[in-house]
Amino acid sequence: MTQELTSPSPAPQAPGTGRGPGWWRDAVIYQVYVRSFADSDGDGIGDLRGARERLPYLKDLGVDAVWLTPFYASPQADGGYDVADYRAVDPLFGTLQDADELIRAAHDLGLRVIVDIVPNHTSDRHPWFQDPELARQRYLFRPGKGESGELPPNDWESVFGGPAWTRTDRGDWYLHLFAPEQPDLNWDNPEVHAEFEAIMRFWLDLGVDGFRVDVAHGMIKAPGLPDIGHGAQAQLIGAQVLPFFDQDGVHAIHRAWRRLLDGYGDARGKQVIGVAEAWAPSAERLALYVRPDELHQAFNFQFLNAPWQSDALRSVIDASLAATASVGAPTTWVLSNHDVVRHTTRLGGSLARARAATLLMLALPGSAYLYQGEELGLPEVTDLPDEVRQDPAFFRGGRATGAVGPGTDTESAPDGAAAGGQDGFRDGCRVPLPWSGELPPYGFGPGGSWLPQPADWGGLTVAAQTGDPASTLELYRAALELRRRLPGLGDGPMSWAPAPDGVLALTRPGLLCTVNTLGHDVGLPVPGTPLLSSAPVTVDDATAQLPGDSCTWWAI
Ligand code: NOJ
């Protein structure tokens, strides 16, 4: 018997118009990590103009939208997630006019644009923090403990390592869940709410189609800022509700933003969305962020962290679909981003598994995010010398991979596979993209690249892979093309079909997807007509041989 798992089927509707089910429910959204995507001016750092010039590549790849990581004015203490002016473009990345031109050019190509908003903290160079009086109202300052206030106000640790508090010249302390250069805002102050609504309107007026909300689970802290009383807080992030993460109070903020986004979109006949970067302890708690009156999407990091094992994958898929269906939302799948080890490396250093995992993800109901370079099958770079490192966690002795949530550690990786990359810090997934040529910077720009690219990436460039049907790039192109063409993919129902141990078989209308998670071939009665496979499948009269670590889409 097959088990019916349904994510609600939306009524048909012209994309992008009005309220209700819309474009984001099954969109494939490509993450552009701006500083590593394409450099137009030769300073070795990717920029907005470079991104604009490469938009036709993304259109051709077949994605629906682009998410741009922060390009705002920033001292770059945390790759731009330390914002000093939310309405200005950092000169490293260009000008406001470049942003405007990029958004227009994307829209001309039919691509939507999502930008980051960083509401949990600002840069310490933000004018609010620079003004001592304003700072004390709009950030979280507290007296220290101990005889002369020499001890931090509580035991909270920074995600990047060390205490979450820094003492000021005046003797009191301020909270920073991330680097000391990223003081946490005081969301009990209505001026903070008003400012972020104004910032959203600023970017909406410039034409953006939505926001990726950074640390969407962090703005509200438990009253009294209680101690945690646990020496290893890093392991608790994403595993349980903490006094600083996943507090119920954050949902009132998301409800207010949903009203803003809906009101703005309704007035202009478009749908603008919010996607939560929230590390919640369960699929059920994550689903709270996508209730009908909250944000539209929330990254499914439990799927990202699932080991390459059929039972584990099936249970995380079931739990995710059930939780989001209970609130009427689609699930938002993701395998890689700028904070985690690239999935080629994380899944046991296996490009075969990475390609299969991607085809599985793209067959599931809902939306999917792709991280730049995964379409090239890029591995994590694991031999960066210390002197080029920039991840603040590296300097603060913080936690490994997934600096914002639970990482995959080597011990828990399936088959003892190396899941952690070089040492778990985040520079190895941020190495600039190889576009063409045999030598660094591989067409990234006219100069060098801010992190060194491996000498053996010549075969991985966009130019080298284009037109090669066996390449990962052409696999992504073919999958995205089929996803657009086959009405049964994207949002809608999904069922499990019977399959041997180690194999998953799921059906969508008109399509069957098989995934062999084992390291060797598995034979099956031929289930349909092969449409696309991550590795060559052999089909004789009655039997299909699924190669080890492969995924195949079959027309049924
Ligand atoms: C999540 C971002 O993805 C990450 O890069 C950043 O360091 C933290 N939030 C803090 O803003």
Side-chain angles (χ1 to χ4, degrees), residues 78 81 121 160 178 212 214-215 277 338-339 404 426:
D78 180 23
Y81 283 96
H121 45 264
F160 293 153
F178 294 89
R212 177 266 192 190
D214 187 63
V215 199
E277 187 238 359
H338 65 292
D339 289 327
V404 287
R426 300 173 299 169

Side-chain angles (χ1 to χ4, degrees), residues 13 41 97 105 115 120 160 222 239 276 289 371 480-481 496 523 537:
Q13 187 195 354
D41 59 11
Q97 186 176 342
V115 294
N120 179 68
F160 293 153
Y289 290 79
Y371 175 50
L480 295 175
E481 213 262 317
W496 293 112
V537 186

Side-chain angles (χ1 to χ4, degrees), residues 45-298:
I45 297 177
D47 47 42
L48 294 176
R49 200 173 273 263
R52 193 191 72 206
E53 287 163 2
R54 298 292 187 176
L55 287 174
Y57 164 75
L58 298 180
K59 179 68 186 172
D60 179 57
L61 180 61
V63 300
D64 303 298
V66 175
W67 152 34
L68 302 167
T69 51
F71 48 80
Y72 314 117
S74 161
Q76 305 293 321
D78 180 23
Y81 283 96
D82 49 318
V83 183
D85 183 347
Y86 289 81
R87 295 173 181 82
V89 172
D90 197 284
L92 269 184
F93 303 121
T95 62
L96 205 51
Q97 186 176 342
D98 292 331
D100 182 44
E101 287 174 7
L102 169 54
I103 295 164
R104 284 173 199 275
H107 287 168
D108 286 347
L109 289 169
L111 296 170
R112 289 184 168 86
V113 179
I114 291 173
V115 294
D116 245 290
I117 188 149
V118 187
N120 179 68
H121 45 264
T122 70
S123 161
D124 62 348
R125 313 308 298 170
H126 190 286
W128 286 5
F129 197 76
Q130 290 288 301
D131 177 327
E133 291 317 313
L134 272 186
R136 274 165 179 76
Q137 295 154 28
R138 296 179 182 174
Y139 296 85
L140 293 166
F141 284 83
R142 293 288 183 277
K145 286 186 177 161
E147 259 174 40
S148 52
E150 74 284 6
L151 298 173
N154 68 21
D155 67 356
W156 297 0
E157 289 168 8
S158 154
V159 167
F160 293 153
W165 297 90
T166 290
R167 198 171 193 190
T168 69
D169 300 344
R170 292 193 185 186
D172 56 357
W173 299 72
Y174 67 88
L175 178 71
H176 51 86
L177 293 180
F178 294 89
E181 296 88 350
Q182 293 168 294
D184 276 50
L185 284 160
N186 171 18
W187 278 86
D188 287 335
N189 184 336
E191 293 160 332
V192 174
H193 292 249
E195 173 64 357
F196 274 87
E197 296 208 352
I199 292 165
M200 284 187 166
R201 287 184 187 282
F202 176 87
W203 288 102
L204 288 168
D205 284 345
L206 219 70
V208 303
D209 301 282
F211 299 95
R212 177 266 192 190
V213 181
D214 187 63
V215 199
H217 55 312
M219 287 88 86
I220 299 296
K221 278 72 182 178
L225 312 185
D227 277 345
I228 293 183
H230 187 293
Q233 286 175 32
Q235 274 136 44
L236 302 182
I237 295 176
Q240 65 180 61
V241 174
L242 291 169
F244 49 81
F245 278 162
D246 201 31
Q247 289 288 306
D248 289 337
V250 294
H251 295 289
I253 299 173
H254 299 314
R255 277 194 284 276
W257 288 352
R258 180 61 181 258
R259 287 194 294 275
L260 184 156
L261 296 174
D262 281 350
Y264 195 96
D266 283 353
R268 288 157 188 82
K270 66 191 268 195
Q271 280 185 326
V272 289
I273 69 157
V275 51
E277 187 238 359
W279 294 85
S282 65
E284 290 72 28
R285 283 204 66 90
L286 186 65
L288 300 179
Y289 290 79
V290 289
R291 285 177 286 190
D293 59 349
E294 298 203 27
L295 299 178
H296 301 72
Q297 302 181 321

